[in-house]
Amino acid sequence: MRQVLRHIFEKKQAYARLPLFEHMRDERLDPMERLAFYPCMAFFILSFGDLNRFVLREEPPADKYQEMVNVHSHEDDHHWPWYLEDLEKLGFDAEARGTEWLRFLWGEETLQNRILTARLTALLKGTTGLERLVIIEAIEETGNVLFTAMLPLAEEMEKRLGTQLRYCGTFHFERESGHTVDADHAALARIPLDEETSARYKALADEVFALFEPWTHELLQYALAHAVSVPVSDTDSDGESCVMVRSSVLAAEAPRLSLVG
């Protein structure tokens, strides 16, 4: 299994170079501009709780590996309320009718969010506990890339807003870093695999990263298509301080929708 884990780490490094994460690391942009994708991932983030409860988890567990999966699923099935908290705190909770946000969640702009949920479910169907642990490892690494890029943006916004961002910030990041599966890496690495099984597990991990990549492109497309007004300080010709408003690079005007309430 050690080779499989190494393969997942290599795939993670390539995943971290995708355009969304380059955009998030672009220090020329204001943190709010780099977080403009945030409302777009609502469908997947909320459905991920159900993926853990109803797809990954099996009671009673068939073996010790499925038991590890179950423990992990209990750790990950309740993070979505933190996402909704931060959606409101970051100012994305604008007034909208129920039909408007339903069109948003099931519209073309969030298509890859729905596809990702469905295809992960299909990928997990009929898998063993150990195969699910491999899939979880790959999913966790995609999440680590996202939360690592998001953390410094959250820290800046927490200072600006004077409030804790539980999903985007340290609160969530520390819990993701402390997962049971992560703590059992050494035990997983010691599991012997023949070449055929190792190749199959690597292919499962490859499929996870392949499923997440279009999702990242959709998030970036959303960020660039939706203007985020950012106050910036400037000085006028008389030397007086004034406030200007800058919009996201390449962004077009578009309404923001409430996904709560």
Side-chain angles (χ1 to χ4, degrees):
M1 183 67 87
R2 191 181 305 276
Q3 291 184 356
V4 175
L5 296 177
R6 185 179 300 115
H7 179 76
I8 291 173
F9 181 73
E10 291 170 354
K11 297 293 291 187
K12 172 188 177 180
Q13 290 178 309
Y15 184 78
R17 295 192 291 270
L18 291 175
L20 171 66
F21 307 115
E22 296 292 347
H23 177 78
M24 293 176 70
R25 290 189 290 264
D26 188 349
E27 295 184 355
R28 296 171 299 175
L29 303 175
D30 186 89
M32 275 302 296
E33 294 180 272
R34 291 183 270 168
L35 287 170
F37 66 87
Y38 193 78
C40 183
M41 62 181 184
F43 187 97
F44 176 69
I45 299 305
L46 271 64
S47 64
F48 190 65
D50 284 346
L51 190 77
N52 278 277
R53 292 176 64 197
F54 305 121
V55 181
L56 279 168
R57 190 181 307 162
E58 286 189 356
E59 298 288 1
D63 54 33
K64 63 180 180 180
Y65 300 123
Q66 182 61 48
E67 186 174 359
M68 291 171 64
V69 171
N70 288 356
V71 171
H72 175 91
S73 73
H74 282 286
E75 293 174 343
D76 248 9
D77 68 3
H78 59 281
H79 295 185
W80 61 269
W82 308 336
Y83 171 84
L84 294 180
E85 284 182 20
D86 289 2
L87 187 81
E88 182 176 7
K89 290 177 180 179
L90 288 169
F92 293 114
D93 188 20
E95 289 293 333
R97 293 179 301 175
T99 52
E100 290 176 326
W101 59 258
L102 285 171
R103 287 192 185 98
F104 172 71
L105 289 174
W106 274 270
E108 290 299 309
E109 203 167 28
T110 56
L111 178 64
Q112 291 301 327
N113 277 264
R114 302 192 304 279
I115 288 175
L116 178 57
T117 301
R119 290 185 176 167
L120 283 174
T121 300
L123 182 64
L124 286 160
K125 184 178 180 180
T127 52
T128 66
L130 188 52
E131 288 169 337
R132 291 182 183 194
L133 285 175
V134 171
I135 292 171
I136 287 172
E137 284 288 339
I139 293 174
E140 287 295 304
E141 294 297 5
T142 67
N144 183 261
V145 171
L146 175 66
F147 296 126
T148 297
M150 199 155 50
L151 183 59
L153 308 180
E155 290 173 343
E156 177 59 33
M157 290 309 302
E158 285 175 335
K159 294 175 185 177
R160 186 180 300 181
L161 298 171
T163 188
Q164 182 185 33
L165 296 172
R166 293 210 295 172
Y167 189 83
C168 300
T170 304
F171 180 86
H172 190 191
F173 186 82
E174 289 180 347
R175 282 154 182 79
E176 288 294 321
S177 301
H179 270 318
T180 302
V181 172
D182 296 333
D184 288 337
H185 267 174
L188 289 175
R190 290 193 295 268
I191 297 173
L193 300 177
D194 57 40
E195 289 188 11
E196 181 180 351
T197 304
S198 179
R200 188 172 77 252
Y201 287 6
K202 289 178 183 178
L204 284 174
D206 289 346
E207 181 66 15
V208 170
F209 284 100
L211 291 177
F212 271 89
E213 182 171 346
W215 180 69
T216 70
H217 297 325
E218 180 171 86
L219 298 187
L220 179 57
Q221 183 177 5
Y222 180 91
L224 298 178
H226 290 255
V228 177
S229 297
V230 181
V232 293
S233 298
D234 200 0
T235 303
D236 62 19
S237 57
D238 297 325
E240 295 293 330
S241 176
C242 60
V243 174
M244 301 170 60
V245 174
R246 181 180 66 199
S247 293
S248 292
V249 179
L250 302 178
E253 291 297 331
R256 289 176 293 170
L257 298 179
S258 171
L259 303 179
V260 293

